[in-house]
Amino acid sequence: MGTVTVVGLGPADESLLTVQTRAAVEAAPRCFLRTRVHPAARVLPDAVAFDDEYEKADAYEAVYEAISERLILESAESDLLYAVPGSPLVLERTVELLRDAADSGRVAVEILAAMSFLDVAWARLGIDPVTDATRLVDGQDFAFAAAGQTGPLLVAHCHSRRVLSDIKLSVEDGPDSVVVLQRLGLPDEAVFEVAWDDLDRQVEPDHLTSLWIPELGTPVAAEFARFEELVRELRERCPWDRVQTHGSLRKHLLEETYEALEALDARSELDDGEIEADLDAHLVEELGDLLYQIFFHARLGAERGSFTVADVARSVYDKLVARHPHVFGDGAAGGVRGPEDADDMARRWEEIKRDEKGRASAMDGVPMTLPALMLAAKVQERSEGVGLGVGLGADRGRACVDGIRDALDNAGADPGLESVGEILFETVALARGLDIDPETALRGTSARFMEQVRSAEG
């Protein structure tokens, strides 16, 4: 097993190469370059470059993995030198992968110190990164890498307008302006300020472009950004995820919804203030599975260029604000104060939804895919909003009981599908009149009957 000696080409041309690096290059029997797209790469004219890997893969991670594997195979023959832009230990993924391989005994790695673009950047910005608690992040993974940070941030690898656009869009409340640093240490270096909103419009980025963000007003959401990145990576790299569509995911969304409901049922048997760690952990797990389905559908939308998970969140945010004028509007009165207020809010909610969507009937928009009991409860609830509810009146419970009797009489006279449906429909009305969820009631009875059967079988 040979040794891979890793050297850094520095931030600019060969004038910033270290003496140690120059000596290693001259003595190396075989040399490899991550890329020739760097000013100092000309000191290695005969080196094998891995630029072809960038043409083969769709994702940078795949490129870096391929490069590291090729280096490991080459090192099996004899020692070699591997040169990377900047410093080997600053945002250099291929070196991270080589070090991981070295830890597992697959390759021997020696890393020589080198100057990075950071040294020049601090000089141009006139700051002490330690005193100012500056964090370095990768522009290609900004939404994740900058999650939870409020600055100051130095953002590297801002090599394209797409990266700049992603950076800008990942921050809800960006600063007024940022400093762009380009080609540091070269004769045509540029350091200038640009408005945040113009970041991806006025800047012509290249592979030696970075950003200085003195302060972020609003940190990027850490866990959600990390989760979205995971969904994206699974979609790109997992064989199962790659072939899914909105249609194929439908059954999984339904299944995860029911599993979440089951976890809710188990948790709801406890008092609200009671702590049961196992049940709460199970509920967290099932809600997470449901969240994955939502993020997956949003990922499919993003691939079409139609919408992203941010659009999903923004849509429901705007909708909730618009539908709560008593909280956010001119008529805000401190929220709902009791059961009567809650009923009034439910009616106003339906009115606002009808106005928003231009619905001609209270029945418009009721999803027919709901389970039958839930569908019956929903249409009864909607009908009450327009004064046509089942069992309305002063003695609502009595009216519902009378409705069931009438349905039973009809079934006796003409038994069939329709008459049984009327009995069930009136029974749903009775449950609602007693403020009981019919779905929960029937599910509970079914569960108790299952236990009775199991006991009898034993």
Side-chain angles (χ1 to χ4, degrees), residues 13 121 126 240 248 394 424 443:
D13 57 24
W240 186 89
S248 68
L424 293 173
R443 186 175 297 276

Side-chain angles (χ1 to χ4, degrees), residues 130-153:
V130 177
T131 302
D132 294 341
T134 300
R135 181 176 176 185
L136 174 66
V137 297
D138 191 331
Q140 298 174 105
D141 300 313
F142 183 85
F144 168 61
Q149 301 297 310
T150 56
L153 302 173

Side-chain angles (χ1 to χ4, degrees), residues 79-134:
D79 295 347
L80 61 87
L81 179 139
Y82 175 50
V84 299
S87 166
L89 297 177
V90 177
L91 297 178
E92 186 53 57
R93 179 60 177 155
T94 57
V95 177
E96 290 181 21
L97 293 171
L98 286 173
R99 295 175 75 184
D100 290 342
D103 290 340
S104 61
R106 297 182 61 207
V107 66
V109 176
E110 179 184 2
I111 299 176
L112 304 185
M115 186 176 181
S116 78
F117 83 100
L118 297 175
D119 302 286
V120 187
W122 307 140
R124 299 297 184 267
L125 294 168
I127 66 169
D128 180 341
V130 177
T131 302
D132 294 341
T134 300

Side-chain angles (χ1 to χ4, degrees), residues 182-194:
Q182 293 186 300
R183 300 173 296 280
L184 296 179
L186 293 173
D188 62 341
E189 81 167 32
V191 179
F192 58 93
E193 194 170 337
V194 65

Side-chain angles (χ1 to χ4, degrees), residues 6 30 52 73 80 126 234 237 312 323 351 358 373 404:
V6 187
R30 296 189 300 154
D52 60 312
L73 288 175
L80 61 87
L234 289 174
R237 304 178 64 186
V312 174
R323 292 183 182 179
E351 292 173 3
L373 286 178
I404 292 175

Side-chain angles (χ1 to χ4, degrees), residues 440-450:
T440 302
L442 183 57
R443 186 175 297 276
T445 298
S446 298
R448 288 191 295 273
F449 182 75
M450 290 170 65

